[in-house]
Amino acid sequence: IGYAILDDLPGTVQGMSFDEANDQVTSSGAGYLGFTLGRAYEGNNKSLNFGIVSNSLLVASYGSLLTNSTYTDGEGNQKRVNIDGNTGLLKYENGNYELALPIGSSSVMLFDCDGFSDENEVIAAAKLFDINGIQKLLGEHAYIWVGFSKKNFSLHDLMVV
């Protein structure tokens, strides 16, 4: 399923391209449970690293944040947003953005970006990915995490965020 998702990802994102040799897909062998994938886009003095982790503890933590209307980080650096019908949590920290979009219950989609000028650019990049199509490939138990933060990204980052 990971390779099917990678095949459906955009070839470029806001002028950034990817090197297929750097794509990463791993699986526990039990459907999409325990699988991870990653793809890095670079160009125009910015980078976007895409990833999905399924069956992760991150899912529950982001779900809790998004369903708790009183949650704040105390610094005003995050807010709820809506992207293609999916309510998400947009966070800004140290000049970088993270955007979590729940669309189910067991996976996290991650975009890790550097060099984006503002939240509108982040949201525009996220809209280039077929979030609902990926949800269908994963089944009803998908959870999307879209994060824009670190320049050097690895699957380890997906599991440790």
Side-chain angles (χ1 to χ4, degrees):
I1 194 164
Y3 292 107
I5 292 170
L6 288 172
D7 287 344
D8 287 342
L9 297 181
T12 61
V13 175
Q14 297 179 350
M16 296 177 285
S17 59
F18 70 95
D19 181 352
E20 188 174 350
N22 294 327
D23 286 352
Q24 301 174 356
V25 177
T26 61
S27 176
S28 67
Y32 67 87
L33 293 177
F35 104 100
T36 60
L37 67 82
R39 171 171 285 169
Y41 294 86
E42 294 183 343
N44 297 330
N45 296 317
K46 57 186 177 179
S47 64
L48 180 151
N49 293 288
F50 170 83
I52 296 177
V53 175
S54 70
N55 201 22
S56 169
L57 294 176
L58 290 174
V59 177
S61 65
Y62 286 111
S64 295
L65 292 176
L66 291 168
T67 58
N68 183 352
S69 63
T70 61
Y71 177 79
T72 179
D73 66 356
E75 298 176 16
N77 293 334
Q78 58 190 24
K79 67 180 183 178
R80 289 183 187 173
V81 295
N82 188 297
I83 298 177
D84 297 334
N86 300 291
T87 300
L89 181 68
L90 178 65
K91 183 176 180 180
Y92 178 79
E93 185 175 9
N94 298 324
N96 300 303
Y97 292 90
E98 295 178 350
L99 172 62
L101 298 171
I103 61 169
S105 63
S106 69
S107 297
V108 175
M109 181 190 287
L110 172 67
F111 294 75
D112 184 2
C113 294
D114 182 45
F116 282 58
S117 60
D118 60 29
E119 67 185 60
N120 294 322
E121 190 176 17
V122 170
I123 291 169
K127 286 183 175 185
L128 296 174
F129 290 76
D130 184 5
I131 295 166
N132 295 320
I134 292 171
Q135 178 185 13
K136 288 177 187 175
L137 283 171
L138 291 173
E140 291 300 314
H141 304 292
Y143 190 102
I144 298 297
W145 158 248
V146 185
F148 299 81
S149 63
K150 297 178 185 171
K151 184 168 184 145
N152 297 313
F153 167 84
S154 72
L155 289 177
H156 176 72
D157 294 323
L158 290 171
M159 295 177 260
V160 179
V161 173

